[in-house]
Amino acid sequence: ASIRRRAGVIQNPVKALPRRFTEKARDRALDSEEIRLAWKDLGKRTVGAPTAIQLVLLTAQRPGEVSAMEWAHIDTDAKVWRMPEGYRKKPRGEDVAPPHDVALSELALTLLSHIRKTNEKEKRAGRRKFVFPSGSDAGHLLYNGLSQSAQRVVAMVGMERWTPHDLRRTAMTHMTRLGHPRLIVDKILGHKDTSIAGIYDRHTYWDERVAAVNDWGAELKKIVESA
């Protein structure tokens, strides 16, 4: 095939060829046994990316948001992670991401306490600000660190490939399985409701969100502690 030029730019000569594989949206969600195996392997590793992956599963928040967690945003007394305006991924049609509060289960709080103690003991750079300091400077852990850690678990345990983002879907799936309405789970994930009802409904459903997160935390604890 000839290579054509338009306005000085070489056009891709294979653009018009048919695709070898059909692209599909990912729909991977881990079942209880996969969760148990992955959690067990993650727990054997050092505090950092493996622990961040566990918090993605617990909180159902985006991996990039978890990896950049700041201690100043975590209120352990109120059991909430308060993401400020602009912290999250900007929703479509918005100039800036709105604030988003995330309820923290007892298992999540226990994990955060363990992380803080480990960071202090090992005197990690950036530990005063970030939950997951990078270790090499005063910055925070990057998303690709979570991806690499997830693939090490996949290889070690011998399971079907999954990504850190799949754990967000996994948490959502299990919360709805426990009987919590999709509306509440969407609120936990921070999805923007663009329906007419959603535009006019300004109720936060906070109590319902707390109940769903706590139920999921208790269910996850049972899963990972099972034989």
Side-chain angles (χ1 to χ4, degrees), residues 5-191:
R5 293 177 181 267
R6 179 180 295 173
V9 178
I10 298 177
Q11 291 197 300
N12 185 353
V14 300
K15 184 177 181 181
L17 296 178
R19 297 180 183 273
R20 293 181 60 193
F21 304 101
T22 302
E23 292 186 358
K24 297 187 298 182
R26 288 190 58 80
D27 58 358
R28 178 88 162 96
L30 279 64
D31 61 27
S32 295
E33 178 61 13
E34 289 177 314
I35 289 171
R36 188 184 68 81
L37 292 172
W39 188 280
K40 183 179 179 180
D41 189 78
L42 290 165
K44 296 176 181 177
R45 302 178 186 276
T46 57
V47 166
T51 331
I53 291 174
Q54 290 176 314
L55 274 176
V56 171
L57 182 60
L58 272 165
T59 64
Q61 303 309 300
R62 294 183 180 90
E65 294 161 358
V66 172
S67 63
M69 286 177 84
E70 297 184 24
W71 290 115
H73 301 160
I74 297 172
D75 186 336
T76 54
D77 292 331
K79 301 180 181 180
V80 61
W81 172 18
R82 306 186 192 280
M83 297 188 199
E85 182 181 74
Y87 180 88
R88 307 175 70 242
K89 179 181 178 181
K90 183 176 69 174
R92 184 176 299 176
E94 299 284 347
D95 293 330
V96 65
H100 180 56
D101 288 351
V102 180
L104 297 171
S105 65
E106 290 300 329
L107 185 54
L109 290 168
T110 298
L111 201 57
L112 285 165
S113 176
H114 173 61
I115 294 166
R116 189 191 289 273
K117 290 175 182 176
T118 301
N119 288 349
E120 289 297 328
K121 180 181 179 181
E122 299 182 0
K123 302 187 184 304
R124 296 178 176 178
R127 67 187 182 278
R128 306 292 186 192
K129 181 176 182 179
F130 296 111
V131 176
F132 299 106
S134 67
S136 58
D137 52 38
H140 63 74
L141 180 69
L142 299 180
Y143 172 76
N144 62 356
L146 275 68
S147 297
Q148 293 167 5
S149 185
Q151 294 320 300
R152 281 193 286 271
V153 174
V154 168
M156 181 63 66
V157 177
M159 59 200 307
E160 181 185 344
R161 180 179 178 272
W162 53 267
T163 69
H165 193 82
D166 289 331
L167 299 186
R168 179 168 152 92
R169 184 182 301 104
T170 297
M172 176 188 73
T173 300
H174 283 268
M175 278 188 272
T176 54
R177 181 180 61 79
L178 290 169
H180 295 282
R182 182 62 181 270
L183 168 66
I184 303 305
V185 178
D186 279 343
K187 292 284 185 181
I188 292 169
L189 269 63
H191 286 167

